[in-house]
Amino acid sequence: MQSYRLWGAGPAVSTSCVLQKFPGVMFTWSMLMMCVSVFTIQPEEHMVAAGICQFHGRHPKTRFKVEGEPVAMRCPQVPYLDSASTHVNVTWRRNDSTTMVPGEEETRVWIQDGGLWIVPASRGDSGTYICTVRNASYCDEMSVELRVFEKTEASLPLISYPQIITLSTSGLLVCPDLSEFIGNKTDVKIQWYKDSVPLDQDNEKFLSVRGTRLLVNNVSLEDAGYYRCAMTFAHRGRQYNITRNIKLRVKKREEETIPVIISPHQTISASLGSRLTIPCKVFLGAGIHATTLLWWTINSTHVEDAYLGTRVTEGRRQEYSENNENYIEVPLIFDPVIREDLHTDFKCVVRNTMSFQMLRTTVKEAATFSWKITLAPLSLIFLVFGGIWMHRRCKRRTGKAYGLMELKTSHQILNPIQVK
Ligand SMILES: *[C@@H]1O[C@H](CO)[C@@H](O)[C@H](O)[C@H]1NC(C)=O
Ligand SMILES: *[C@@H]1O[C@H](CO)[C@@H](O)[C@H](O)[C@H]1NC(C)=O
Ligand SMILES: *[C@@H]1O[C@H](CO)[C@@H](O)[C@H](O)[C@H]1NC(C)=O
Ligand SMILES: *[C@@H]1O[C@H](CO)[C@@H](O)[C@H](O)[C@H]1NC(C)=O
Ligand SMILES: *[C@@H]1O[C@H](CO)[C@@H](O)[C@H](O)[C@H]1NC(C)=O
Ligand SMILES: *[C@@H]1O[C@H](CO)[C@@H](O)[C@H](O)[C@H]1NC(C)=O
């Protein structure tokens, strides 16, 4: 509290006074800092020690593996953590249990460089695994899903990695997900199969290159289908096969087609003063978007040159596919429509290297159908009938009231007679 008094004294305090009180100030200050550090640092360390860990959710890639084969799953967070330089502790557990994997006496499962190894995997190993990365000040978790399948034809679509090569070119297939087993080795021997038939090395069509790749020459549609690549892996004196299945899709080379303008109509109805959007929609079929130009003209000049303003503008170009057919769309936007537009010529123009086409459209004033006009006679009729009805009702009411008054009056008249 000394410190407050000191600073509160303001300019009146002499230098010697400040120096006198300095040790006291320092003491208070250091006490304050200690308090602050106790409240800021302690809880965090406590949290980590108590095992409160930030969970980053499930890794999007499910690992599909074949039973009897070695499995090595990398902890998804570790590549970003650089486990070699920061001394992190990586642990694994199944999500339905709190005990770590591997359990005691387990020789089939181990952790190596933060990754979980299962050699060989069985179908019972399928499940969700949580990898925890922890050091003195930091902890985070992520889960990884592993599914181990029986080696059957039926599981092929599930365990296959999709890959694509373009028709009539040469392309590479890659035997995927082997880095844990290969490491820095360059002399890996990979055997390739197409529909379970081994592909020979002296084959003109297929050439095994650079360890894990297969070159496919002059790709034809028949080359599509299932491929398998396999390598062997030795552990504790046993040889295991590691196989990967690939589903190759052969994609047609993208080409230009003759575009077809499918909208707008020849005339568009619009009411003056309102906003109007006329889309120009072009059908390309299997053709590519990139090389097709699409624009609007107004009285045969470009939109920007015709209006020099923002009343009529070209909207954003949209490229999309419906049922594997490609389309492009560019709208012309009026905000608002004015009378001059009714005498103006609008054209949608499309051009690529195959063709040049245009479609003319005009804006027509819409027949002004308005509720006000339709309702006016109707409301007049209602008013008239309503008036008549009200009139009649009022008349009847006053009639009744009149009769009552008559009765009362007669009563009053009678009374004096009775009294008398
Ligand atoms: C990792 O955790 C284990 C078990 O809790 C512990 O024995 C080991 O010392 C930790 N290693 C490091 C580097 O923190
Ligand atoms: C473990 O993960 C699976 C699949 O994500 C889920 O269905 C199951 O409920 C989880 N179990 C626990 C105990 O969290
Ligand atoms: C713990 O890991 C985090 C994240 O990698 C790092 O920033 C931090 O320096 C590490 N702390 C220690 C004490 O190693
Ligand atoms: C590529 O294959 C097609 C038929 O599949 C064949 O007509 C063509 O000659 C081949 N081209 C080369 C360069 O081998
Ligand atoms: C590995 O694959 C080869 C060739 O397909 C086969 O002969 C061998 O029996 C397989 N080994 C194991 C352990 O499945
Ligand atoms: C387009 O031309 C017509 C007739 O030549 C003219 O009436 C109209 O104002 C022109 N529109 C614009 C925007 O220049």
Side-chain angles (χ1 to χ4, degrees), residues 168 205 217-222:
S168 307
K205 183 94 191 167
N217 274 314
N218 191 16
V219 175
S220 65
L221 286 173
E222 296 87 73

Side-chain angles (χ1 to χ4, degrees), residues 49-310:
I52 294 170
C53 226
Q54 200 173 3
F55 183 62
H56 290 286
R58 199 172 106 183
H59 193 258
K61 195 176 113 189
T62 297
R63 275 68 171 172
F64 295 104
K65 304 291 168 183
V66 177
E67 74 176 330
E69 296 197 0
V71 166
M73 292 196 291
R74 204 180 283 168
C75 181
Q77 308 97 297
V78 172
Y80 317 114
L81 276 173
D82 185 14
S83 61
S85 58
T86 60
H87 293 278
V88 290
N89 209 339
V90 178
T91 51
W92 286 83
R93 65 175 204 273
R94 290 185 69 135
N95 80 330
D96 46 11
S97 127
T98 51
T99 54
M100 299 297 161
V101 284
E104 279 160 33
E105 316 263 318
E106 179 99 76
T107 56
R108 206 173 52 89
V109 183
W110 71 91
I111 290 170
Q112 183 180 322
D113 295 331
L116 181 68
W117 289 63
I118 307 172
V119 182
S122 68
R123 276 192 280 166
D125 294 321
S126 297
T128 303
Y129 291 81
I130 296 169
C131 176
T132 307
V133 177
R134 188 191 294 272
N135 68 11
S137 61
Y138 175 91
C139 182
D140 79 22
E141 289 187 332
M142 205 160 176
S143 71
V144 179
E145 184 122 1
L146 171 67
R147 292 179 68 186
V148 182
F149 288 89
E150 201 180 352
K151 193 173 190 168
T152 60
E153 289 294 312
S155 61
L156 211 50
L158 276 169
I159 61 177
S160 292
Y161 294 77
Q163 293 185 15
I164 301 171
I165 304 182
T166 307
L167 189 66
S168 307
T169 60
S170 294
L172 285 168
L173 284 183
V174 181
C175 195
D177 255 358
L178 293 177
S179 55
E180 269 80 7
F181 303 101
I182 292 174
N184 297 324
K185 270 186 271 173
T186 49
D187 59 337
V188 272
K189 175 89 186 69
I190 305 263
Q191 175 65 54
W192 286 88
Y193 303 83
K194 163 107 204 277
D195 301 320
S196 302
V197 180
L199 302 173
D200 292 330
Q201 264 312 311
D202 46 323
N203 188 320
E204 272 185 18
K205 183 94 191 167
F206 303 102
L207 181 68
S208 183
V209 286
R210 273 190 283 155
T212 60
R213 293 157 200 240
L214 179 75
L215 181 72
V216 187
N217 274 314
N218 191 16
V219 175
S220 65
L221 286 173
E222 296 87 73
D223 294 333
Y226 286 104
Y227 287 76
R228 190 171 89 234
C229 50
M231 67 175 277
T232 56
F233 177 75
H235 175 65
R236 288 175 172 248
R238 273 199 65 185
Q239 292 278 332
Y240 296 94
N241 288 335
I242 302 171
T243 60
R244 300 285 182 255
N245 294 277
I246 295 159
K247 187 183 181 184
L248 174 65
R249 193 162 74 81
V250 174
K251 192 180 67 172
K252 284 201 184 106
R253 195 203 294 268
E254 288 190 322
E255 278 164 359
E256 285 202 335
T257 52
I258 295 174
V260 181
I261 303 176
I262 53 173
S263 92
H265 295 298
Q266 301 231 297
T267 55
I268 304 287
S269 296
S271 28
L272 299 181
S274 66
R275 201 181 133 94
L276 172 69
T277 300
I278 310 177
C280 178
K281 188 170 171 178
V282 170
F283 172 80
L284 295 176
I288 45 174
H289 295 127
T291 55
T292 307
L293 299 173
L294 178 62
W295 70 91
W296 281 91
T297 65
I298 297 173
N299 277 357
S300 301
T301 60
H302 274 285
V303 174
E304 305 88 66
D305 302 335
Y307 274 96
L308 304 166
T310 55

